[in-house]
Amino acid sequence: NMSTVNKTAHEFDKQRLEALLNRRFFYAPAFEIYGGVAGLYDYGPPGSSLQANIISEWRKHFIVEEHMLELDTTIMTPAPVFETSGHVARFADWMVKDTKTGDVLRADHLVKNVLEARVAGDKEARGVAAQPKEDDKDKKKKKKTAKAAAVQLADEVVKEYESILAQLDNYSGPELGELCRKHAIKNPDTDNEVTEPVQFNLMFASSIGPTGQHPGFLRPETAQGHFLNFSRLLDFNNGRVPFASAQIGRSFRNEISPRAGLLRVREFTMAEIEHYVDPEDKRHERFADVRDTVLVLLDRHVQSEGSTEVKHMSVGEAVDKGIIANETLGYFIARIYQYLVKIGINPSRLRFRQHMANEMAHYATDCWDAEIHNSTGWTECVGCADRAAYDLSVHSKKTGHPLVVRQALKEPIVTEKEAAEFNKKVFGKTFKGDAATVQKIVESMDEPQLLKLKGELAQGSATITSEDGKEFTLTPEALTIERKTFKQSIREFTPNVIEPSFGLGRILYTLLEHSFWSREQDVERGVLSLPPLVAPTKVLIVPLSAREEFTPLVQEVCKSSPFQGRPPYGLHVLHLIPLAS
Amino acid sequence: NMSTVNKTAHEFDKQRLEALLNRRFFYAPAFEIYGGVAGLYDYGPPGSSLQANIISEWRKHFIVEEHMLELDTTIMTPAPVFETSGHVARFADWMVKDTKTGDVLRADHLVKNVLEARVAGDKEARGVAAQPKEDDKDKKKKKKTAKAAAVQLADEVVKEYESILAQLDNYSGPELGELCRKHAIKNPDTDNEVTEPVQFNLMFASSIGPTGQHPGFLRPETAQGHFLNFSRLLDFNNGRVPFASAQIGRSFRNEISPRAGLLRVREFTMAEIEHYVDPEDKRHERFADVRDTVLVLLDRHVQSEGSTEVKHMSVGEAVDKGIIANETLGYFIARIYQYLVKIGINPSRLRFRQHMANEMAHYATDCWDAEIHNSTGWTECVGCADRAAYDLSVHSKKTGHPLVVRQALKEPIVTEKEAAEFNKKVFGKTFKGDAATVQKIVESMDEPQLLKLKGELAQGSATITSEDGKEFTLTPEALTIERKTFKQSIREFTPNVIEPSFGLGRILYTLLEHSFWSREQDVERGVLSLPPLVAPTKVLIVPLSAREEFTPLVQEVCKSSPFQGRPPYGLHVLHLIPLAS
């Protein structure tokens, strides 16, 4: 009887969930029999299916419904591309080393772990939080994070810590180093001091070709593959914006010390959209469809004040009030919300947080993260950034290849201005080898200079001087200056890019957390209630015995199943698991 | 009128096809605006769709229909895995350098290009082949391959060249070097001599983690990811074989000098199956379903004789005659055939070629390639190898982790043999610190030694000697030897692996060649007749004008289309391309 199911009878137990996921091979550490490698995971059959279904729905929700242009570009990328994009110089995290053991820690994570532990210890000392349970499970868990001694802190210290934690992503490397010194932050595993933060580039490096002379990187995002193909995509879309390209694929980040399961990994599947839009018109034609979608927003002003208080607001209102910068950004934030809720993310554990100024990636002008709450706190699962014209501009400048839109103007822009007309014959005769130089000087004049020259010519002649000090005398026979009408019928511009970027592994893991509960009568009986849309197993045909006589019968049932032959993508329709074997 | 369509009115024109694929952005060189990188390609919207449909059908044909266990494992792999698998030592090609320019060439490709050109030149001189057309197109084309001077060769030289070409894949590096010297093979681009062949490992190297102390490689195949998860997969399948794992994903090979478009690339999408089977029983339960499938076979004996004459034969007959080693290999070869034909490969341009002894990958014991004919000749598109127990054995040995199947025997195996039983008390008292040593000596005895010892004990006592020369006297009080009955009810074995491995990019490209033709009345009007199953565009809604008033109407038609909402995976159902814009 469904009405009696109580999914909240037991508190969420992460270890119980992880044991289930491991036992059923949703995923497991890669190279486990070789001792594993931090931050690398393999998906087993149910994990692969769940991922495939999440991707399939993503493709439908975004690529098909929004008529996006799909791409599949390479992971291996020659170094010059990431030099231009800024990743070689700036795609880095700050790391510190334990001064005695040499262990490497990510600086911001160190500060976060230690200060959070102190705040928790303070709460414990004040009797606000429950005493930690003294069973083995908790001891084991605690070892992995900073030690939380139950020490009461001064009120102003607690306030300072909380303020630091609220704007942690806003600190530079040197600032993180200063925080470590000021607050005596040490490596919690060893209690040793740590070095000053140094930058570590997160891209995996390799080399292309047999001679070793072409350095390359594994892409840390799929985006550059979109931008480099912009001209071809624009042609494909008949030269018009807005349009979007989309790509689902693997990316790589050589994380400093990945520890959080699927939430921070070195190799992951992303889904990225690059939506190209006129910088002067960021409206979206289907914005009305999402205007009333109510979101939970945490804007940058609130965070800068050291607070994490959210606002509930419709997308329409947020755009109207300028909290979300434009309709297109708002449209995608709403579509991201719809997608996440559709595949089973609990909307009450989903918020959109705006990046603070220092936190933003080097290419972004505005950015909102879809953060999903889970047992580790709030986790960024989707970024939605306005990259402006950054990428297209830098690649165009570097390669000399124009990455622009040329738009026929409905109403040509008519302007009047002074223009010089040269009598080539006289000009050539008069100035000979210097003719081109003289013409260039005149052509580079602005309106006031041309008007002055026009006046002088009307009086008989004018003298101009070249950069190297040579003087030339101009006459009305050599050139005339007249007011002319110009009609501009083409407008050329570099489009801006709105980029929704999805970390599918993080979404998959938080979805599993949101879907897990234990039966009221038996806490050991864990359940994953995944929406049918993404559930890896939809039909289970279970023979009562493993006896061979059953095999042909089971096969017949399989073939006759109404699901056979048209399963959703990646679905294992039938699992033949005998009850007794 | 369909009945009047003549698809063979014009000869296949590769340049026309390539221009079409480039113009419509099926695929293009990656990083084109940066000058490109050999062997790296990006797929545009129609190419991505076609690839997604090919993958979707593959998933249905293999994973769903055969109930395979899907995996998604990491690309980045720590070095020890490929040291064990043999790839660090042996996954290499032979390369030579131009002695003057330093240009790098693949040794086997050099020999092939030069000898094929000489044979063609001979045919031309004999008037067998048509004179080459003297238009620009052909000149340009010829530049890329070896020069084909119209020189007649002695009959025995032609025969020797043809014999070398037929078994080209059979030569080692030193043998290729000898061929270059013996037949004066030089770099056709420069006419310079080349160096002796040296090995170049084809794996891209990188390093994992911030300290640079963990070398890693990008996988050159997905297979190792399957093998390392074997225990988990076996558990998932309730401990029973046969079963198969399957994975679709990116792999990387740092090819020496990739030149053949999508046919030889440095990054590619593979689909691999690892089918685990009892080495003593390689029958397949659904073999009867494919027994009558007729294939075109080119076995290794024919090739060793320098011939390329094929046999037409049913899979059943080929297995019965031992041409194909076993039912499981035969079953998969037939299923590969069915899949390729289903997605549109021309069956008359498809053959299965068995690898020769020296050609086989280091792990394989038998291997058949599905070769598809295209404008460059016969191209390996699918490999179907029997890897035997190689991979599971080496990983198990290296890691100490058992990668075996434990099978309950239906009839326990009952054996009788002599067995020693120790009287622990007496034994300990008699031998003290040496008790364990003495026991080990006895336990390591074989049947005849035990019988001899038994006889001596029956006479009162026996003396045995340890490795370091110490003597011990055994008595009937310390141990007895008796004939006992043993019942073995579990059989333990390392399964063999049959591996069908698909290069999806090669299949995609040859499919495009097989699908391309020009209209009889107008050679410029190229057509791609792809089967609806994989065609990237199935419905096209075309407004008669780009005028804005049409937009809502078109959107309404899109939404009402019977295809909307349930497109096959990856399909761009609707392309809104105005006829006039």
Side-chain angles (χ1 to χ4, degrees):
Chain A
N1 186 335
M2 290 296 288
S3 65
T4 64
V5 170
N6 176 4
K7 294 188 178 181
T8 56
H10 304 283
E11 224 181 302
F12 173 77
D13 185 332
K14 190 177 184 177
Q15 287 183 310
R16 207 179 293 282
L17 169 63
E18 284 181 342
L20 169 76
L21 297 179
N22 187 52
R23 197 169 64 243
R24 297 291 185 183
F25 198 10
F26 273 75
Y27 62 91
F31 320 109
E32 200 176 16
I33 66 172
Y34 278 82
V37 173
L40 294 179
Y41 290 88
D42 291 341
Y43 289 5
S48 298
S49 257
L50 177 57
Q51 179 184 246
N53 292 340
I54 286 173
I55 288 174
S56 174
E57 191 52 36
W58 193 91
R59 205 182 287 267
K60 229 169 97 180
H61 186 84
F62 290 105
I63 299 182
V64 176
E65 285 182 24
E66 311 264 7
H67 304 299
M68 292 173 175
L69 306 185
E70 190 168 2
L71 280 175
D72 188 15
T73 72
T74 65
I75 292 167
M76 181 60 73
T77 307
V81 171
F82 288 124
E83 282 160 11
T84 304
S85 70
H87 286 82
V88 169
R90 290 188 295 267
F91 194 74
D93 276 340
W94 293 96
M95 67 175 185
V96 295
K97 281 191 181 176
D98 183 303
T99 48
K100 286 183 186 153
T101 65
D103 286 348
V104 176
L105 303 162
R106 215 177 109 169
D108 56 344
H109 289 179
L110 171 67
V111 171
K112 179 169 184 273
N113 288 341
V114 171
L115 295 193
E116 277 181 353
R118 288 185 192 166
V119 170
D122 170 78
K123 281 203 178 122
E124 196 184 324
R126 290 171 192 242
V128 179
Q131 295 293 315
K133 286 177 229 149
E134 277 307 320
D135 58 17
D136 285 347
K137 200 177 70 187
D138 273 74
K139 266 188 208 148
K140 210 172 166 190
K141 209 169 157 187
K142 212 179 293 168
K143 247 188 162 170
K144 288 181 189 163
T145 62
K147 281 164 231 146
V151 174
Q152 187 167 340
L153 307 169
D155 288 358
E156 63 272 19
V157 171
V158 173
K159 219 173 153 188
E160 189 178 359
Y161 285 0
E162 278 170 349
S163 166
I164 292 169
L165 289 168
Q167 52 183 315
L168 192 67
D169 292 327
N170 212 10
Y171 293 109
S172 68
E175 285 167 344
L176 289 168
E178 210 176 297
L179 286 175
C180 288
R181 283 195 304 277
K182 183 174 171 196
H183 301 289
I185 293 172
K186 299 175 181 180
N187 180 358
D189 293 338
T190 62
D191 219 33
N192 298 331
E193 306 226 338
V194 296
T195 61
E196 275 303 289
V198 291
Q199 274 197 313
F200 173 70
N201 194 294
L202 298 182
M203 289 192 294
F204 282 101
S206 191
S207 150
I208 307 170
T211 56
Q213 66 207 23
H214 297 294
F217 293 105
L218 303 189
R219 66 180 179 202
E221 55 172 27
T222 76
Q224 304 304 320
H226 301 236
F227 303 139
L228 298 186
N229 284 301
F230 175 72
S231 294
R232 287 183 173 274
L233 291 166
L234 183 65
D235 280 353
F236 196 88
N237 205 52
N238 293 319
R240 300 194 293 188
V241 291
F243 74 91
S245 54
Q247 175 165 209
I248 302 155
R250 216 53 87 83
S251 291
F252 294 74
R253 296 182 186 181
N254 196 5
E255 295 286 350
I256 290 169
S257 56
R259 281 189 191 180
L262 291 191
L263 296 181
R264 186 165 300 280
V265 290
R266 287 176 164 151
E267 179 175 340
F268 49 98
T269 301
M270 302 179 91
E272 290 193 307
I273 295 162
E274 310 295 337
H275 180 88
Y276 309 90
V277 64
D278 185 339
E280 290 173 12
D281 180 8
K282 295 189 179 177
R283 289 174 303 167
H284 194 287
E285 68 171 341
R286 287 186 297 283
F287 188 69
D289 296 351
V290 303
R291 177 168 267 285
D292 297 329
T293 308
V294 175
L295 303 173
V296 177
L297 301 178
L298 176 56
D299 69 44
R300 68 161 68 107
H301 304 294
V302 171
Q303 296 169 73
S304 300
E305 288 158 12
S307 162
T308 55
E309 212 176 290
V310 296
K311 293 184 179 78
H312 289 74
M313 198 181 279
S314 75
V315 186
E317 191 187 343
V319 170
D320 292 344
K321 288 188 171 164
I323 295 172
I324 294 174
N326 57 65
E327 278 191 5
T328 298
L329 205 52
Y331 179 77
F332 278 111
I333 289 173
R335 291 284 291 162
I336 291 165
Y337 172 88
Q338 291 168 357
Y339 169 74
L340 292 174
V341 172
K342 194 193 282 180
I343 63 166
I345 294 296
N346 180 347
S348 72
R349 300 178 74 184
L350 170 57
R351 72 180 184 190
F352 287 86
R353 187 180 72 79
Q354 190 175 28
H355 278 207
M356 289 174 287
N358 280 3
E359 176 190 2
M360 221 132 38
H362 61 269
Y363 45 73
T365 60
D366 191 12
C367 186
W368 288 82
D369 285 343
E371 293 189 333
I372 306 177
H373 191 258
N374 58 71
S375 59
T376 71
W378 288 97
T379 301
E380 171 199 351
C381 291
V382 187
C384 193
D386 185 340
R387 295 176 83 127
Y390 176 81
D391 305 273
L392 294 177
S393 302
V394 293
H395 287 303
S396 179
K397 196 175 161 205
K398 177 74 182 180
T399 62
H401 188 99
L403 300 172
V404 293
V405 175
R406 290 167 52 83
Q407 196 180 56
L409 292 168
K410 273 178 207 159
E411 302 274 326
I413 298 170
V414 179
T415 46
E416 279 198 352
K417 58 179 181 185
E418 302 294 330
E421 197 164 320
F422 302 92
N423 182 330
K424 291 240 161 106
K425 221 170 166 181
V426 177
F427 217 73
K429 243 189 213 166
T430 314
F431 302 115
K432 298 199 173 72
D434 292 322
T437 312
V438 178
Q439 188 172 336
K440 257 193 194 160
I441 297 170
V442 175
E443 279 171 352
S444 70
M445 287 178 168
D446 60 15
E447 192 86 355
Q449 289 174 313
L450 279 175
L451 275 171
K452 181 168 167 269
L453 180 58
K454 189 179 183 179
E456 288 169 5
L457 287 175
Q459 314 239 330
S461 75
T463 303
I464 61 169
T465 313
S466 71
E467 269 188 16
D468 54 2
K470 241 176 168 174
E471 288 200 343
F472 301 98
T473 303
L474 298 171
T475 62
E477 288 74 42
L479 85 167
T480 51
I481 296 176
E482 271 173 36
R483 191 149 196 88
K484 283 191 182 161
T485 302
F486 290 89
K487 210 171 113 178
Q488 187 197 347
S489 56
I490 298 282
R491 178 181 153 233
E492 199 176 275
F493 62 90
T494 303
N496 279 13
V497 177
I498 310 287
E499 177 193 77
S501 171
F502 296 68
L504 298 181
R506 289 183 173 187
I507 293 171
L508 182 144
Y509 176 75
T510 51
L511 175 60
L512 288 169
E513 274 206 7
H514 290 197
S515 308
F516 181 66
W517 50 281
S518 284
R519 287 186 198 268
E520 190 169 9
Q521 299 76 4
D522 183 359
V523 69
E524 297 296 335
R525 291 185 65 197
V527 180
L528 279 173
S529 292
L530 289 158
L533 196 66
V534 294
T537 303
K538 297 180 214 235
V539 178
L540 198 64
I541 298 179
V542 187
L544 291 172
S545 143
R547 278 164 57 201
E548 272 185 17
E549 301 93 292
F550 280 70
T551 308
L553 202 65
V554 167
Q555 277 173 359
E556 201 172 313
V557 175
C558 289
K559 279 183 188 161
S560 70
S561 157
F563 294 87
Q564 184 68 15
R566 51 186 177 102
Y569 163 69
L571 170 67
H572 299 258
V573 176
L574 309 157
H575 287 184
L576 305 175
I577 305 174
L579 285 179
S581 64
Chain B
N1 185 335
M2 289 297 288
S3 64
T4 64
V5 170
N6 176 2
K7 293 187 178 181
T8 56
H10 305 282
E11 224 181 300
F12 173 76
D13 185 332
K14 190 178 184 175
Q15 286 184 311
R16 207 180 292 283
L17 169 63
E18 284 182 343
L20 169 76
L21 297 178
N22 187 52
R23 198 168 63 244
R24 297 290 186 185
F25 198 9
F26 273 75
Y27 62 90
F31 321 108
E32 200 176 15
I33 67 172
Y34 277 81
V37 174
L40 294 177
Y41 290 88
D42 291 341
Y43 288 3
S48 298
S49 258
L50 177 58
Q51 179 184 248
N53 292 340
I54 285 173
I55 288 174
S56 173
E57 191 50 38
W58 192 91
R59 204 181 289 267
K60 229 169 97 180
H61 186 84
F62 290 104
I63 299 182
V64 176
E65 286 182 23
E66 311 265 7
H67 304 300
M68 293 174 173
L69 305 185
E70 190 168 1
L71 281 176
D72 187 15
T73 72
T74 66
I75 293 167
M76 181 61 74
T77 308
V81 172
F82 288 123
E83 283 160 11
T84 304
S85 70
H87 286 82
V88 169
R90 289 188 295 266
F91 193 73
D93 276 339
W94 294 96
M95 68 174 182
V96 294
K97 281 191 182 178
D98 183 303
T99 47
K100 286 182 186 154
T101 64
D103 288 348
V104 175
L105 303 163
R106 215 178 110 169
D108 55 345
H109 290 179
L110 171 67
V111 171
K112 178 170 185 272
N113 288 340
V114 170
L115 295 193
E116 277 181 352
R118 288 184 192 167
V119 171
D122 170 76
K123 281 203 179 124
E124 197 184 323
R126 291 173 193 238
V128 178
Q131 295 292 316
K133 286 178 231 150
E134 276 306 321
D135 59 16
D136 285 344
K137 201 177 68 188
D138 273 73
K139 266 189 209 146
K140 210 171 163 191
K141 209 170 158 186
K142 211 178 294 169
K143 246 186 159 172
K144 288 181 191 162
T145 62
K147 281 165 234 148
V151 175
Q152 189 168 337
L153 308 167
D155 288 358
E156 63 272 19
V157 172
V158 173
K159 218 173 152 188
E160 189 177 1
Y161 286 179
E162 278 170 348
S163 166
I164 293 169
L165 288 167
Q167 51 183 317
L168 193 66
D169 293 326
N170 212 10
Y171 294 109
S172 69
E175 284 166 344
L176 289 168
E178 209 176 298
L179 287 176
C180 288
R181 282 194 305 276
K182 182 175 172 196
H183 300 290
I185 292 172
K186 297 176 181 180
N187 180 358
D189 293 338
T190 62
D191 219 33
N192 298 330
E193 305 224 340
V194 296
T195 62
E196 275 302 290
V198 292
Q199 273 198 314
F200 173 70
N201 194 294
L202 297 181
M203 289 193 294
F204 282 101
S206 191
S207 149
I208 307 170
T211 55
Q213 67 206 23
H214 298 295
F217 293 104
L218 303 188
R219 66 179 179 204
E221 55 172 28
T222 76
Q224 302 305 319
H226 301 236
F227 303 138
L228 298 186
N229 284 300
F230 175 73
S231 293
R232 286 183 174 275
L233 291 166
L234 183 66
D235 279 354
F236 196 89
N237 204 53
N238 293 320
R240 300 195 292 187
V241 291
F243 73 91
S245 53
Q247 174 165 211
I248 301 156
R250 216 54 87 83
S251 292
F252 295 74
R253 296 182 187 182
N254 196 5
E255 294 286 349
I256 289 168
S257 56
R259 282 190 191 179
L262 291 191
L263 295 181
R264 187 165 300 280
V265 291
R266 286 173 165 153
E267 179 176 340
F268 49 97
T269 301
M270 301 179 90
E272 289 194 308
I273 296 162
E274 310 296 337
H275 180 90
Y276 310 90
V277 63
D278 185 338
E280 289 173 13
D281 180 7
K282 294 189 180 177
R283 287 174 305 165
H284 194 287
E285 67 171 341
R286 288 186 296 283
F287 188 69
D289 297 350
V290 303
R291 176 168 268 286
D292 297 329
T293 307
V294 174
L295 304 174
V296 176
L297 302 177
L298 175 56
D299 69 43
R300 69 160 67 107
H301 304 294
V302 170
Q303 297 167 72
S304 300
E305 287 158 12
S307 162
T308 55
E309 213 176 287
V310 297
K311 293 186 180 79
H312 290 72
M313 198 181 277
S314 75
V315 185
E317 192 187 344
V319 170
D320 291 344
K321 288 189 171 165
I323 296 171
I324 295 174
N326 56 65
E327 279 191 6
T328 297
L329 205 52
Y331 179 76
F332 279 110
I333 290 173
R335 291 285 290 163
I336 292 165
Y337 173 88
Q338 291 168 358
Y339 169 74
L340 293 173
V341 171
K342 194 193 282 180
I343 63 166
I345 294 296
N346 180 346
S348 72
R349 300 178 73 184
L350 171 58
R351 72 181 186 190
F352 287 85
R353 187 179 72 78
Q354 190 175 29
H355 278 208
M356 288 174 288
N358 280 2
E359 176 191 3
M360 221 134 35
H362 61 268
Y363 45 74
T365 60
D366 191 12
C367 185
W368 288 81
D369 286 343
E371 293 189 332
I372 306 178
H373 191 257
N374 58 69
S375 59
T376 72
W378 288 98
T379 301
E380 171 199 350
C381 292
V382 187
C384 192
D386 186 338
R387 295 176 82 127
Y390 177 82
D391 305 272
L392 294 177
S393 302
V394 293
H395 288 303
S396 179
K397 195 176 163 202
K398 177 74 184 180
T399 62
H401 188 101
L403 300 173
V404 293
V405 175
R406 290 168 52 83
Q407 196 180 57
L409 291 167
K410 274 178 204 158
E411 303 273 326
I413 298 170
V414 179
T415 46
E416 279 199 351
K417 57 181 181 184
E418 301 295 330
E421 198 164 320
F422 302 93
N423 183 331
K424 289 240 162 105
K425 220 169 166 183
V426 177
F427 217 73
K429 243 188 214 169
T430 316
F431 302 113
K432 299 197 174 73
D434 292 322
T437 311
V438 178
Q439 188 171 338
K440 257 191 195 158
I441 296 170
V442 175
E443 278 170 350
S444 69
M445 288 178 168
D446 60 15
E447 192 86 356
Q449 289 173 314
L450 279 175
L451 276 170
K452 182 167 167 268
L453 181 58
K454 189 180 184 179
E456 288 169 4
L457 288 174
Q459 315 240 328
S461 74
T463 303
I464 60 170
T465 315
S466 71
E467 269 186 17
D468 53 1
K470 239 174 166 175
E471 288 201 342
F472 302 99
T473 304
L474 298 170
T475 62
E477 288 73 42
L479 84 168
T480 51
I481 296 175
E482 273 172 34
R483 190 149 198 88
K484 282 192 182 162
T485 302
F486 291 87
K487 207 170 115 179
Q488 186 196 350
S489 55
I490 297 283
R491 178 182 154 230
E492 198 176 275
F493 63 90
T494 303
N496 279 13
V497 177
I498 309 286
E499 176 194 76
S501 171
F502 295 69
L504 297 181
R506 290 183 172 187
I507 292 171
L508 182 144
Y509 175 75
T510 51
L511 175 59
L512 288 169
E513 275 205 8
H514 289 197
S515 308
F516 182 65
W517 51 280
S518 285
R519 284 186 200 270
E520 190 168 9
Q521 299 77 5
D522 183 0
V523 69
E524 296 296 335
R525 292 184 64 198
V527 180
L528 279 172
S529 292
L530 289 158
L533 196 67
V534 294
T537 303
K538 297 180 213 232
V539 178
L540 198 65
I541 297 179
V542 187
L544 291 172
S545 143
R547 279 163 55 201
E548 274 186 14
E549 300 93 290
F550 280 70
T551 309
L553 201 67
V554 167
Q555 278 174 358
E556 201 172 312
V557 175
C558 288
K559 278 183 188 161
S560 70
S561 156
F563 295 87
Q564 185 66 16
R566 49 185 179 104
Y569 163 68
L571 170 65
H572 299 256
V573 175
L574 309 158
H575 286 184
L576 305 175
I577 304 175
L579 284 180
S581 64

